[in-house]
């Protein structure tokens, strides 16, 4: 979750740098991109691919190819003290793992429960708004910025629905791409609504506010449900399950260093990440 902030901010400074051609924006972009790589390789990977899509949208020529190299290699070099050793041992990381792939109807809030919580792929209201924007496609299809965001959504959606088959990094399940997918979806919806002119209406603005309140309420109920059913504070929770496993010889300790495996108290942030969108 902490690494995801790099995604929209890196894209913001990428846009500023391309449009205003100022070195400071390029520096900000490179630094934030580097942090994205260092904190979570898949997030850094996404920023890199979205950068390529953005620059290529203007046209494919030698100038843009040089831009892609500069905007891609620079942040990798900044983070190379960590990134290059990672590449050297890539065979231990890639291949042979697919993980949880969501169903399309799960995005809408249907049939969305797995063993470690409810709604890990549910973005509910957001995807309904996305469908609404598609009805006005003719009004914004000439806008390169909006189309760039739409292509980016299609690309991340490809990752989200298991397009890489069994070549996902081990531990990085396709369903985890729901968060960058939702971030891009939010930006796209705002850009599309602005291009269409829907945000000029007070009625539409009021409707958006009501939808936001409903969405927050929905999230609150889901978090409450997951806390009661899937957290570590009850006698039949994962905490007790792992206690039994530890007694059978699993080399884990009952302390916060093992929060990832649920062998300690309830970690509130883990359930929040299911509903971050």
């Amino acid at each position: 979750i902490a690494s995801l902030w790099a995604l929209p901010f890196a894209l913001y400074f990428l846009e500023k740098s391309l449009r205003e051609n100022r070195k400071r924006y390029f520096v900000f972009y490179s630094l934030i991109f580097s942090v994205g790589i260092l904190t979570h390789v898949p997030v850094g990977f996404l920023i890199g691919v979205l950068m390529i899509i953005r620059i290529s949208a203007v046209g494919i020529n030698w100038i843009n190819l040089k831009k892609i190299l500069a905007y891609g290699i620079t942040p990798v070099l900044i983070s190379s003290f960590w990134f290059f050793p990672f590449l050297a041992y890539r065979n231990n990381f890639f291949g042979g793992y697919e993980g949880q792939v969501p169903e399309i109807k799960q995005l809408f809030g249907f049939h969305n429960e797995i063993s470690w919580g409810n709604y890990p792929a549910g973005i509910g209201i957001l995807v309904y708004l996305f469908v609404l924007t598609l009805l006005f496609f003719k009004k914004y299809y000439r806008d390169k910025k909006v189309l760039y965001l739409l292509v980016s959504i299609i690309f991340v959606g490809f990752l989200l629905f298991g397009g890489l088959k069994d070549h996902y990094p081990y531990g990085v399940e396709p369903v985890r791409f729901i968060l960058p997918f939702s971030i891009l979806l939010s930006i796209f919806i705002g850009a599309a609504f602005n291009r269409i002119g829907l945000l000029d209406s007070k009625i539409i603005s009021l409707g958006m506010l009501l939808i936001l309140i409903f969405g927050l309420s929905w999230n609150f109920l889901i978090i409450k449900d997951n806390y009661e059913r899937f957290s570590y504070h009850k006698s039949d929770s994962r905490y007790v399950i792992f206690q039994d496993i530890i007694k059978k010889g699993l080399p884990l300790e009952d302390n916060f260093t093992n929060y990832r495996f649920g062998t300690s108290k309830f970690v509130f942030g883990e359930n929040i990440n299911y509903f971050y969108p």
Side-chain angles (χ1 to χ4, degrees):
I1 290 294
S3 67
L4 285 168
W5 71 273
L7 186 63
F9 282 97
L11 296 180
Y12 170 75
F13 285 114
L14 168 66
E15 191 69 29
K16 294 283 283 184
S17 178
L18 291 173
R19 287 180 171 274
E20 301 186 25
N21 197 27
R22 294 186 180 181
K23 292 181 180 179
R24 64 176 179 177
Y25 293 133
F26 176 73
V27 171
F28 291 151
Y29 159 80
S30 299
L31 291 176
I32 295 174
F33 189 168
S34 301
V35 172
I37 295 173
L38 292 171
T39 52
H40 203 253
V41 172
V43 170
F45 166 74
L46 282 176
I47 295 174
V49 175
L50 296 176
M51 172 270 297
I52 293 173
I53 294 174
R54 169 65 184 89
I55 296 176
S56 299
V58 178
I60 300 177
N61 52 51
W62 177 240
I63 295 176
N64 285 338
L65 288 177
K66 288 194 294 185
K67 283 184 180 180
I68 289 173
L69 289 174
Y71 280 83
I73 291 178
T74 302
V76 171
L77 288 176
I78 294 174
S79 58
S80 62
F81 70 92
W82 184 86
F83 192 58
F84 285 160
F86 162 80
L87 290 177
Y89 291 95
R90 64 188 181 278
N91 289 332
N92 293 333
F93 195 77
F94 289 101
Y97 181 81
E98 183 174 350
Q100 174 69 22
V101 178
E103 301 175 21
I104 292 180
K105 60 183 178 182
Q106 287 183 294
L107 300 184
F108 293 86
F110 300 107
H111 186 62
N112 209 349
E113 175 179 332
I114 61 177
S115 60
W116 38 269
N118 292 328
Y119 293 90
I123 54 179
I125 293 168
L126 196 59
V127 76
Y128 288 102
L129 291 175
F130 173 65
V131 172
L132 178 62
T133 63
L134 297 180
L135 300 178
F136 298 92
F137 181 75
K138 290 184 178 180
K139 292 189 176 182
Y140 61 74
Y141 79 96
R142 293 180 182 274
D143 191 317
K144 289 184 178 180
K145 289 186 296 184
V146 181
L147 281 181
Y148 156 61
L149 290 167
L150 183 59
V151 172
S152 301
I153 288 169
I154 293 171
F155 166 72
V156 179
F158 170 79
L159 299 175
L160 174 65
F161 291 108
L164 296 183
K165 302 298 181 181
D166 62 347
H167 295 290
Y168 285 84
Y170 189 80
V172 180
E173 302 186 49
V175 72
R176 292 186 181 275
F177 287 100
I178 191 67
L179 298 176
F181 180 78
S182 302
I183 290 172
L184 289 170
L185 212 60
S186 298
I187 299 172
F188 169 77
I189 290 170
F193 276 15
N194 183 62
R195 183 70 177 81
I196 295 167
L198 290 179
L199 299 181
D200 297 333
S201 169
K202 291 183 178 180
I203 295 177
I204 295 295
S205 298
L206 177 60
M208 292 289 287
L209 178 61
L210 294 175
I211 287 173
L212 177 62
I213 294 172
F214 177 78
L216 291 172
S217 302
W218 188 4
N219 278 8
F220 173 81
L221 294 175
I222 295 170
I223 292 172
K224 181 175 181 294
D225 184 41
N226 274 299
Y227 177 79
E228 293 174 349
R229 294 181 57 196
F230 296 97
S231 68
Y232 315 130
H233 78 295
K234 295 175 64 178
S235 59
D236 58 347
S237 67
R238 284 186 291 177
Y239 174 75
V240 176
I241 294 172
F242 270 88
Q243 286 293 307
D244 293 336
I245 296 175
I246 289 173
K247 291 177 182 178
K248 295 179 180 179
L250 187 69
L252 292 177
E253 297 180 1
D254 180 17
N255 57 50
F256 278 108
T257 60
N258 295 315
Y259 71 94
R260 189 79 168 89
F261 298 96
T263 61
S264 194
K265 298 179 181 179
F266 171 68
V267 182
F268 191 66
E270 184 173 348
N271 277 340
I272 287 181
N273 72 22
Y274 303 151
F275 328 107
Y276 178 73

Short mmCIF file of all heavy atoms in Angstrom, two decimals, residues 21-64:
data_model
loop_
_atom_site.label_atom_id
_atom_site.label_comp_id
_atom_site.label_asym_id
_atom_site.label_seq_id
_atom_site.Cartn_x
_atom_site.Cartn_y
_atom_site.Cartn_z
N ASN A 21 8.77 20.86 -20.02
CA ASN A 21 10.20 20.66 -20.34
C ASN A 21 11.12 21.33 -19.31
O ASN A 21 12.09 22.00 -19.68
CB ASN A 21 10.49 21.18 -21.75
CG ASN A 21 11.81 20.63 -22.29
OD1 ASN A 21 12.24 19.55 -21.89
ND2 ASN A 21 12.43 21.36 -23.19
N ARG A 22 10.81 21.14 -18.04
CA ARG A 22 11.65 21.69 -16.98
C ARG A 22 12.37 20.56 -16.26
O ARG A 22 11.77 19.53 -15.95
CB ARG A 22 10.81 22.49 -15.98
CG ARG A 22 10.20 23.76 -16.57
CD ARG A 22 9.51 24.57 -15.51
NE ARG A 22 8.91 25.79 -16.05
CZ ARG A 22 8.27 26.69 -15.32
NH1 ARG A 22 8.14 26.49 -14.01
NH2 ARG A 22 7.75 27.77 -15.88
N LYS A 23 13.65 20.79 -15.98
CA LYS A 23 14.47 19.74 -15.39
C LYS A 23 13.98 19.32 -14.02
O LYS A 23 14.07 18.15 -13.65
CB LYS A 23 15.92 20.20 -15.31
CG LYS A 23 16.60 20.35 -16.67
CD LYS A 23 18.05 20.79 -16.52
CE LYS A 23 18.70 20.92 -17.88
NZ LYS A 23 20.12 21.36 -17.77
N ARG A 24 13.47 20.26 -13.22
CA ARG A 24 13.06 19.92 -11.86
C ARG A 24 11.92 18.89 -11.86
O ARG A 24 11.87 18.03 -10.98
CB ARG A 24 12.66 21.17 -11.08
CG ARG A 24 11.44 21.90 -11.63
CD ARG A 24 11.07 23.06 -10.71
NE ARG A 24 9.93 23.80 -11.23
CZ ARG A 24 9.36 24.82 -10.60
NH1 ARG A 24 9.85 25.21 -9.43
NH2 ARG A 24 8.33 25.44 -11.11
N TYR A 25 11.02 18.99 -12.83
CA TYR A 25 9.93 18.02 -12.91
C TYR A 25 10.47 16.64 -13.29
O TYR A 25 9.98 15.61 -12.80
CB TYR A 25 8.86 18.47 -13.90
CG TYR A 25 8.12 19.70 -13.47
CD1 TYR A 25 7.91 20.76 -14.35
CD2 TYR A 25 7.64 19.83 -12.17
CE1 TYR A 25 7.23 21.90 -13.96
CE2 TYR A 25 6.96 20.98 -11.77
CZ TYR A 25 6.76 22.00 -12.66
OH TYR A 25 6.10 23.14 -12.27
N PHE A 26 11.47 16.62 -14.16
CA PHE A 26 12.11 15.36 -14.52
C PHE A 26 12.80 14.74 -13.30
O PHE A 26 12.75 13.52 -13.10
CB PHE A 26 13.12 15.58 -15.64
CG PHE A 26 13.89 14.35 -16.02
CD1 PHE A 26 13.27 13.33 -16.73
CD2 PHE A 26 15.21 14.19 -15.65
CE1 PHE A 26 13.96 12.18 -17.08
CE2 PHE A 26 15.91 13.04 -16.00
CZ PHE A 26 15.29 12.03 -16.71
N VAL A 27 13.43 15.58 -12.48
CA VAL A 27 14.09 15.09 -11.26
C VAL A 27 13.05 14.52 -10.30
O VAL A 27 13.23 13.43 -9.74
CB VAL A 27 14.89 16.22 -10.59
CG1 VAL A 27 15.40 15.78 -9.22
CG2 VAL A 27 16.06 16.64 -11.47
N PHE A 28 11.95 15.26 -10.08
CA PHE A 28 10.89 14.77 -9.18
C PHE A 28 10.33 13.44 -9.69
O PHE A 28 10.12 12.50 -8.91
CB PHE A 28 9.76 15.80 -9.08
CG PHE A 28 10.13 17.05 -8.36
CD1 PHE A 28 9.52 18.25 -8.65
CD2 PHE A 28 11.11 17.03 -7.37
CE1 PHE A 28 9.87 19.42 -7.98
CE2 PHE A 28 11.48 18.19 -6.69
CZ PHE A 28 10.85 19.39 -7.01
N TYR A 29 10.08 13.37 -10.99
CA TYR A 29 9.57 12.13 -11.59
C TYR A 29 10.54 10.98 -11.34
O TYR A 29 10.13 9.90 -10.90
CB TYR A 29 9.37 12.34 -13.09
CG TYR A 29 9.34 11.06 -13.90
CD1 TYR A 29 8.20 10.28 -13.97
CD2 TYR A 29 10.49 10.63 -14.57
CE1 TYR A 29 8.18 9.10 -14.70
CE2 TYR A 29 10.48 9.45 -15.29
CZ TYR A 29 9.33 8.69 -15.35
OH TYR A 29 9.32 7.52 -16.06
N SER A 30 11.82 11.20 -11.61
CA SER A 30 12.82 10.14 -11.47
C SER A 30 12.93 9.66 -10.03
O SER A 30 13.02 8.45 -9.77
CB SER A 30 14.19 10.63 -11.96
OG SER A 30 14.13 10.98 -13.32
N LEU A 31 12.91 10.59 -9.10
CA LEU A 31 13.04 10.22 -7.69
C LEU A 31 11.83 9.41 -7.21
O LEU A 31 11.98 8.39 -6.53
CB LEU A 31 13.22 11.46 -6.82
CG LEU A 31 14.56 12.20 -6.99
CD1 LEU A 31 14.56 13.48 -6.16
CD2 LEU A 31 15.72 11.30 -6.59
N ILE A 32 10.64 9.86 -7.59
CA ILE A 32 9.43 9.14 -7.16
C ILE A 32 9.35 7.79 -7.83
O ILE A 32 8.95 6.78 -7.22
CB ILE A 32 8.17 9.99 -7.45
CG1 ILE A 32 8.21 11.27 -6.60
CG2 ILE A 32 6.91 9.20 -7.13
CD1 ILE A 32 7.09 12.23 -6.92
N PHE A 33 9.72 7.73 -9.11
CA PHE A 33 9.78 6.45 -9.83
C PHE A 33 10.74 5.51 -9.11
O PHE A 33 10.45 4.32 -8.90
CB PHE A 33 10.23 6.72 -11.26
CG PHE A 33 10.15 5.53 -12.19
CD1 PHE A 33 10.28 5.72 -13.55
CD2 PHE A 33 9.93 4.23 -11.74
CE1 PHE A 33 10.21 4.65 -14.44
CE2 PHE A 33 9.86 3.14 -12.61
CZ PHE A 33 10.01 3.36 -13.96
N SER A 34 11.89 6.02 -8.69
CA SER A 34 12.89 5.21 -8.00
C SER A 34 12.34 4.66 -6.68
O SER A 34 12.55 3.49 -6.35
CB SER A 34 14.16 6.03 -7.72
OG SER A 34 14.71 6.50 -8.92
N VAL A 35 11.64 5.50 -5.96
CA VAL A 35 11.02 5.04 -4.71
C VAL A 35 10.01 3.94 -4.99
O VAL A 35 9.89 2.97 -4.25
CB VAL A 35 10.36 6.23 -3.97
CG1 VAL A 35 9.55 5.73 -2.78
CG2 VAL A 35 11.41 7.22 -3.51
N GLY A 36 9.26 4.09 -6.11
CA GLY A 36 8.31 3.05 -6.50
C GLY A 36 9.00 1.72 -6.72
O GLY A 36 8.52 0.67 -6.30
N ILE A 37 10.15 1.74 -7.40
CA ILE A 37 10.92 0.51 -7.64
C ILE A 37 11.42 -0.08 -6.33
O ILE A 37 11.32 -1.28 -6.08
CB ILE A 37 12.11 0.79 -8.57
CG1 ILE A 37 11.63 1.20 -9.97
CG2 ILE A 37 13.01 -0.45 -8.69
CD1 ILE A 37 12.75 1.65 -10.90
N LEU A 38 11.96 0.78 -5.47
CA LEU A 38 12.59 0.31 -4.24
C LEU A 38 11.57 -0.26 -3.26
O LEU A 38 11.87 -1.20 -2.52
CB LEU A 38 13.36 1.45 -3.58
CG LEU A 38 14.61 1.93 -4.34
CD1 LEU A 38 15.16 3.20 -3.71
CD2 LEU A 38 15.67 0.84 -4.36
N THR A 39 10.38 0.31 -3.23
CA THR A 39 9.39 -0.15 -2.26
C THR A 39 8.57 -1.33 -2.76
O THR A 39 8.08 -2.11 -1.97
CB THR A 39 8.45 1.00 -1.87
OG1 THR A 39 7.90 1.60 -3.07
CG2 THR A 39 9.18 2.07 -1.07
N HIS A 40 8.42 -1.43 -4.08
CA HIS A 40 7.62 -2.54 -4.61
C HIS A 40 7.88 -2.67 -6.10
O HIS A 40 7.46 -1.82 -6.88
CB HIS A 40 6.13 -2.27 -4.35
CG HIS A 40 5.30 -3.52 -4.35
ND1 HIS A 40 4.44 -3.85 -5.36
CD2 HIS A 40 5.19 -4.52 -3.43
CE1 HIS A 40 3.84 -5.01 -5.09
NE2 HIS A 40 4.27 -5.43 -3.93
N VAL A 41 8.59 -3.69 -6.50
CA VAL A 41 9.01 -3.84 -7.89
C VAL A 41 7.83 -3.80 -8.87
O VAL A 41 7.92 -3.14 -9.91
CB VAL A 41 9.85 -5.12 -8.07
CG1 VAL A 41 10.11 -5.38 -9.55
CG2 VAL A 41 11.17 -5.00 -7.33
N PRO A 42 6.71 -4.50 -8.62
CA PRO A 42 5.60 -4.42 -9.58
C PRO A 42 5.07 -3.00 -9.77
O PRO A 42 4.66 -2.65 -10.88
CB PRO A 42 4.53 -5.33 -8.96
CG PRO A 42 5.32 -6.32 -8.17
CD PRO A 42 6.46 -5.54 -7.60
N VAL A 43 5.08 -2.18 -8.72
CA VAL A 43 4.64 -0.79 -8.88
C VAL A 43 5.61 -0.03 -9.77
O VAL A 43 5.21 0.73 -10.66
CB VAL A 43 4.52 -0.09 -7.50
CG1 VAL A 43 4.30 1.41 -7.67
CG2 VAL A 43 3.36 -0.69 -6.72
N GLY A 44 6.92 -0.23 -9.57
CA GLY A 44 7.90 0.38 -10.44
C GLY A 44 7.75 -0.09 -11.87
O GLY A 44 7.86 0.71 -12.82
N PHE A 45 7.46 -1.37 -12.05
CA PHE A 45 7.22 -1.93 -13.38
C PHE A 45 6.03 -1.24 -14.05
O PHE A 45 6.10 -0.87 -15.23
CB PHE A 45 6.96 -3.43 -13.25
CG PHE A 45 6.38 -4.08 -14.47
CD1 PHE A 45 7.16 -4.31 -15.60
CD2 PHE A 45 5.05 -4.46 -14.49
CE1 PHE A 45 6.61 -4.90 -16.73
CE2 PHE A 45 4.49 -5.05 -15.61
CZ PHE A 45 5.28 -5.27 -16.73
N LEU A 46 4.96 -1.02 -13.28
CA LEU A 46 3.77 -0.37 -13.83
C LEU A 46 4.07 1.05 -14.26
O LEU A 46 3.66 1.49 -15.34
CB LEU A 46 2.65 -0.37 -12.79
CG LEU A 46 1.88 -1.67 -12.61
CD1 LEU A 46 0.87 -1.53 -11.49
CD2 LEU A 46 1.18 -2.07 -13.90
N ILE A 47 4.79 1.79 -13.42
CA ILE A 47 5.14 3.17 -13.77
C ILE A 47 5.94 3.20 -15.07
O ILE A 47 5.70 4.03 -15.95
CB ILE A 47 5.93 3.84 -12.63
CG1 ILE A 47 5.05 3.97 -11.38
CG2 ILE A 47 6.44 5.22 -13.06
CD1 ILE A 47 5.79 4.47 -10.16
N GLY A 48 6.89 2.27 -15.20
CA GLY A 48 7.71 2.21 -16.40
C GLY A 48 6.91 1.96 -17.65
O GLY A 48 7.08 2.65 -18.67
N VAL A 49 6.00 1.00 -17.60
CA VAL A 49 5.19 0.67 -18.78
C VAL A 49 4.23 1.81 -19.11
O VAL A 49 4.04 2.16 -20.28
CB VAL A 49 4.41 -0.64 -18.54
CG1 VAL A 49 3.47 -0.91 -19.71
CG2 VAL A 49 5.36 -1.81 -18.37
N LEU A 50 3.62 2.43 -18.08
CA LEU A 50 2.71 3.54 -18.32
C LEU A 50 3.45 4.74 -18.91
O LEU A 50 2.89 5.50 -19.72
CB LEU A 50 2.02 3.93 -17.02
CG LEU A 50 1.10 2.86 -16.42
CD1 LEU A 50 0.54 3.32 -15.09
CD2 LEU A 50 -0.03 2.51 -17.38
N MET A 51 4.71 4.93 -18.50
CA MET A 51 5.53 5.99 -19.09
C MET A 51 5.74 5.73 -20.59
O MET A 51 5.63 6.65 -21.41
CB MET A 51 6.88 6.04 -18.36
CG MET A 51 7.92 6.97 -18.97
SD MET A 51 8.98 6.16 -20.22
CE MET A 51 9.80 4.92 -19.23
N ILE A 52 6.04 4.47 -20.94
CA ILE A 52 6.25 4.12 -22.35
C ILE A 52 4.97 4.36 -23.16
O ILE A 52 5.01 4.92 -24.26
CB ILE A 52 6.71 2.66 -22.48
CG1 ILE A 52 8.10 2.49 -21.87
CG2 ILE A 52 6.71 2.21 -23.93
CD1 ILE A 52 8.57 1.05 -21.78
N ILE A 53 3.83 3.96 -22.60
CA ILE A 53 2.55 4.16 -23.29
C ILE A 53 2.29 5.66 -23.49
O ILE A 53 1.86 6.09 -24.57
CB ILE A 53 1.40 3.51 -22.49
CG1 ILE A 53 1.56 1.99 -22.46
CG2 ILE A 53 0.05 3.89 -23.10
CD1 ILE A 53 0.54 1.30 -21.57
N ARG A 54 2.57 6.44 -22.46
CA ARG A 54 2.31 7.89 -22.52
C ARG A 54 3.15 8.55 -23.62
O ARG A 54 2.63 9.33 -24.43
CB ARG A 54 2.61 8.54 -21.17
CG ARG A 54 2.64 10.07 -21.18
CD ARG A 54 1.27 10.63 -21.51
NE ARG A 54 1.32 12.08 -21.61
CZ ARG A 54 1.59 12.76 -22.72
NH1 ARG A 54 1.86 12.11 -23.84
NH2 ARG A 54 1.59 14.07 -22.72
N ILE A 55 4.44 8.28 -23.65
CA ILE A 55 5.32 8.92 -24.64
C ILE A 55 5.02 8.39 -26.04
O ILE A 55 5.02 9.14 -27.01
CB ILE A 55 6.80 8.70 -24.26
CG1 ILE A 55 7.11 9.39 -22.92
CG2 ILE A 55 7.72 9.23 -25.35
CD1 ILE A 55 8.51 9.16 -22.41
N SER A 56 4.71 7.10 -26.14
CA SER A 56 4.42 6.51 -27.45
C SER A 56 3.11 7.03 -28.02
O SER A 56 2.91 7.00 -29.25
CB SER A 56 4.36 4.98 -27.34
OG SER A 56 5.60 4.46 -26.90
N ALA A 57 2.21 7.51 -27.16
CA ALA A 57 0.92 8.01 -27.63
C ALA A 57 1.10 9.24 -28.52
O ALA A 57 0.27 9.51 -29.40
CB ALA A 57 0.03 8.35 -26.44
N VAL A 58 2.18 9.99 -28.30
CA VAL A 58 2.44 11.17 -29.13
C VAL A 58 2.93 10.76 -30.51
O VAL A 58 2.66 11.43 -31.51
CB VAL A 58 3.50 12.07 -28.43
CG1 VAL A 58 3.83 13.27 -29.31
CG2 VAL A 58 3.00 12.52 -27.07
N GLY A 59 3.63 9.66 -30.58
CA GLY A 59 4.15 9.17 -31.85
C GLY A 59 5.41 8.35 -31.62
O GLY A 59 6.10 8.53 -30.62
N ILE A 60 5.69 7.46 -32.53
CA ILE A 60 6.89 6.62 -32.42
C ILE A 60 7.93 7.15 -33.38
O ILE A 60 7.80 7.03 -34.61
CB ILE A 60 6.56 5.15 -32.73
CG1 ILE A 60 5.51 4.61 -31.73
CG2 ILE A 60 7.83 4.30 -32.66
CD1 ILE A 60 5.08 3.19 -32.00
N ASN A 61 8.95 7.79 -32.83
CA ASN A 61 10.05 8.32 -33.62
C ASN A 61 11.32 8.30 -32.78
O ASN A 61 11.30 7.91 -31.61
CB ASN A 61 9.74 9.74 -34.13
CG ASN A 61 9.31 10.66 -32.98
OD1 ASN A 61 9.98 10.75 -31.97
ND2 ASN A 61 8.17 11.34 -33.17
N TRP A 62 12.43 8.72 -33.37
CA TRP A 62 13.70 8.63 -32.67
C TRP A 62 13.73 9.51 -31.43
O TRP A 62 14.28 9.14 -30.38
CB TRP A 62 14.83 9.02 -33.62
CG TRP A 62 16.19 9.02 -32.99
CD1 TRP A 62 17.04 10.07 -32.87
CD2 TRP A 62 16.84 7.90 -32.36
NE1 TRP A 62 18.19 9.68 -32.22
CE2 TRP A 62 18.09 8.36 -31.89
CE3 TRP A 62 16.48 6.57 -32.16
CZ2 TRP A 62 19.00 7.53 -31.23
CZ3 TRP A 62 17.38 5.73 -31.49
CH2 TRP A 62 18.61 6.21 -31.04
N ILE A 63 13.14 10.70 -31.50
CA ILE A 63 13.11 11.61 -30.34
C ILE A 63 12.37 10.98 -29.18
O ILE A 63 12.84 11.00 -28.03
CB ILE A 63 12.47 12.96 -30.73
CG1 ILE A 63 13.33 13.68 -31.76
CG2 ILE A 63 12.25 13.83 -29.49
CD1 ILE A 63 12.73 14.98 -32.27
N ASN A 64 11.23 10.39 -29.46
CA ASN A 64 10.44 9.78 -28.39
C ASN A 64 11.12 8.52 -27.85
O ASN A 64 10.99 8.20 -26.66
CB ASN A 64 9.04 9.45 -28.88
CG ASN A 64 8.17 10.69 -29.00
OD1 ASN A 64 8.46 11.70 -28.36
ND2 ASN A 64 7.14 10.63 -29.80
#
